[in-house]
């Protein structure tokens, strides 16, 4: 499948019904609340499917928030509507990015995190398109602003992306050079990327190149885990790695 740009809530002059996010599913911590992680599903999915898996993970001090993306027309599907964090037509180096859609979803994630207790670590993660949105949020964190220039006010403690890619990759390094302190914020943000070599939806080389671009742009605290033969899905070895990585980087107790 190929994915990236179009109009859905994202810069076309067409008049349309405002996009509305679907149901948000919350997995409460079973122990002391030390971290809140927004987890973003992939294209056409919903928050419920991931909340069931996340609830089973041995991370009792984590609160998981699993929102559902708005339903919007998708260029990759010839305009057929489905749940998506932004519009996609093609994932390639020269494909345009739906900046308005990315900002819209990144702002929703930030709004969800903004109501969490001040002593709780805030994180974003996701799968496929959800991973792309999480990585876009990581760049907003570094710049302290969205793509449209509005301030980004959330301080992220970690970002996780499974089987995804980096939006706006072409301009990242140049933008980093133009923002004071962006390099410091990028370097201090732990990022875990996981990708399978058998992924036939988001090819492994896209994920691997995203990791290279992030690292060369200043996101040095980045770990890329490669899974031989893994397709566009997750496996227990991957979720085990996520638990270990989150426990170590967020200094979680009681795992």
């Amino acid at each position: 499948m190929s994915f990236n740009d179009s109009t859905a809530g994202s810069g076309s002059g067409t008049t349309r019904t405002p996009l509305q996010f679907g149901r948000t599913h919350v997995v409460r911590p079973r122990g002391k609340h030390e971290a809140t992680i927004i987890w973003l599903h992939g294209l056409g999915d919903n928050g419920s499917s991931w909340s069931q898996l996340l609830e089973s993970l041995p991370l009792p001090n984590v609160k998981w928030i699993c929102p559902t993306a708005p339903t919007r027309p998708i260029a990759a599907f010839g305009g057929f509507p489905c749940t998506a964090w932004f519009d996609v037509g093609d994932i390639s180096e020269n494909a345009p990015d739906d900046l308005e859609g990315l900002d819209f979803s990144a702002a929703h994630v930030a709004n969800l995190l903004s109501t969490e207790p001040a002593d709780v670590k805030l994180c974003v993660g996701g799968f496929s398109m959800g991973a792309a949105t999480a990585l876009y949020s990581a760049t907003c964190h570094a710049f302290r602003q969205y793509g449209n220039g509005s301030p980004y006010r959330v301080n992220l403690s970690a970002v996780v992306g499974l089987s995804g890619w980096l939006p706006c990759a072409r301009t990242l390094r140049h933008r980093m050079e133009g923002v004071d302190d962006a390099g410091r914020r990028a370097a201090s943000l732990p990022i875990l990327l996981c990708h399978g070599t058998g992924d036939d939806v988001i090819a492994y080389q896209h994920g691997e190149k995203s990791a290279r671009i992030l690292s060369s742009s200043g996101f040095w605290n980045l770990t890329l885990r490669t899974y031989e033969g893994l397709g566009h899905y997750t496996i227990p070895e991957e979720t085990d790695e996520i638990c270990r990585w989150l426990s170590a980087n967020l200094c979680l107790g009681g795992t």
Side-chain angles (χ1 to χ4, degrees), residues 161-186:
L162 311 183
S163 305
W165 75 97
L166 173 66
C168 309
R170 296 185 306 278
T171 60
L172 179 59
R173 190 182 305 180
H174 176 72
R175 289 188 65 205
M176 289 290 293
E177 293 170 352
V179 179
D180 290 341
D181 251 9
R184 178 186 59 79
R185 288 190 292 270

Side-chain angles (χ1 to χ4, degrees), residues 10 12 55 61 64 70 101 118 122 152 165 176 180 183 217 220 226 239 246:
S10 58
S12 125
E55 189 171 17
N61 300 324
W64 299 92
L122 307 178
Y152 185 85
W165 75 97
M176 289 290 293
D180 290 341
S217 299
W220 298 326
T226 300
T239 54
L246 286 172

Side-chain angles (χ1 to χ4, degrees), residues 109-120:
V109 170
N111 286 338
L112 290 172
L113 289 173
S114 68
T115 61
E116 292 300 293
D119 61 342
V120 165

